[in-house]
Amino acid sequence: MPRSTTMAPLVDLAEEQWGLFTRRQAESTGMAWSTLARLASEAATVERVAHGVYRLRGGPPPEHLELRAAWLQLSPDTPAWERRPEQGVVSHRSAAALYGLGHLPADVHEFTLPERKQSRRPDLRLHRGRLPDTDRTSREGLPVTRPRRIVSDLLSAREDPGAVGLIAADALRSGHDDPASVARALSAHAGRFGLRRGDGSALLRWLLGLAAVPEHEHLPDQTPETEPGTSSS
């Protein structure tokens, strides 16, 4: 067992990251790689949850453990509280799951970054795109796209419109977003679905109708003039 003085900085760091830390963060506190490997092999104090990511035992694992570990992997040197949106924002199906919206499986961890980045993980999907401040927020300690951006991104990814409609309905019902903002985000997609170009309100009503929810009867008739942000994958 390493001396308590060796573990103390790592414990302090992990407490601010849901009990998680990366190998590089451990080494930055002065812990030798051989010590970390031994602790992980003994599985008494530390457990490995992903390549280069570990969890301190002693408490229940956090919700969305695998998603959090994947996010830490994107920038393993940087503590969670110092991360910038440019280092990765939870998006697409993963963002919907983080909010608890809809029923699309989120077995692949999805993030959006402004620059192209590659990973060998088969369960990781990185999208390239710029996220304005209005399209992102923080939820459960993770940076995440807002529902307005989630539905737009999922349509860009050619997800089933009915499933996207259910996500939009859940977001509106729970108050996570408002109809006007969602309609603005959808306006760029209206023409692809045979609707008047730029008519995000019509597209939102159609999506909600596919999901068989009553909200589609109480939406604005016209999309506001503000142009929505665009996304790319």
Side-chain angles (χ1 to χ4, degrees), residues 149-191:
R149 179 67 182 232
I150 296 172
V151 295
S152 177
D153 283 341
L154 291 176
L155 288 182
S156 293
R158 299 301 196 268
E159 295 282 7
D160 174 66
V164 177
L166 184 57
I167 289 172
D170 285 349
L172 298 179
R173 185 184 298 114
S174 60
H176 288 311
D177 220 322
D178 63 273
S181 296
V182 176
R184 278 195 296 268
L186 290 174
S187 63
H189 303 281

Side-chain angles (χ1 to χ4, degrees), residues 16-101:
E16 300 297 325
Q17 295 185 155
W18 323 288
L20 305 178
F21 62 92
T22 68
R23 171 184 170 179
R24 292 186 187 178
Q25 290 172 345
E27 291 174 337
S28 73
T29 69
M31 177 174 285
W33 162 238
S34 58
T35 300
L36 178 58
R38 178 170 56 80
L39 290 174
S41 65
E42 294 171 352
T45 306
V46 170
E47 68 171 329
R48 181 179 180 273
V49 296
H51 180 70
V53 182
Y54 301 82
R55 183 178 80 89
L56 288 179
R57 290 185 178 274
E63 291 190 56
H64 308 288
L65 171 62
E66 294 180 355
L67 179 65
R68 296 180 192 277
W71 180 69
L72 288 175
Q73 283 181 320
L74 294 178
S75 186
D77 293 302
T78 310
W81 60 90
E82 293 182 2
R83 295 285 183 98
R84 303 184 308 277
E86 293 78 13
Q87 292 171 289
V89 176
V90 181
S91 64
H92 295 73
R93 288 192 180 199
S94 294
L98 191 59
Y99 278 96
L101 306 176

Side-chain angles (χ1 to χ4, degrees), residues 186-205:
L186 290 174
S187 63
H189 303 281
R192 180 160 64 88
F193 292 95
L195 301 170
R196 180 171 60 88
R197 291 176 61 86
D199 195 344
S201 291
L203 178 53
L204 180 54
R205 286 193 297 272

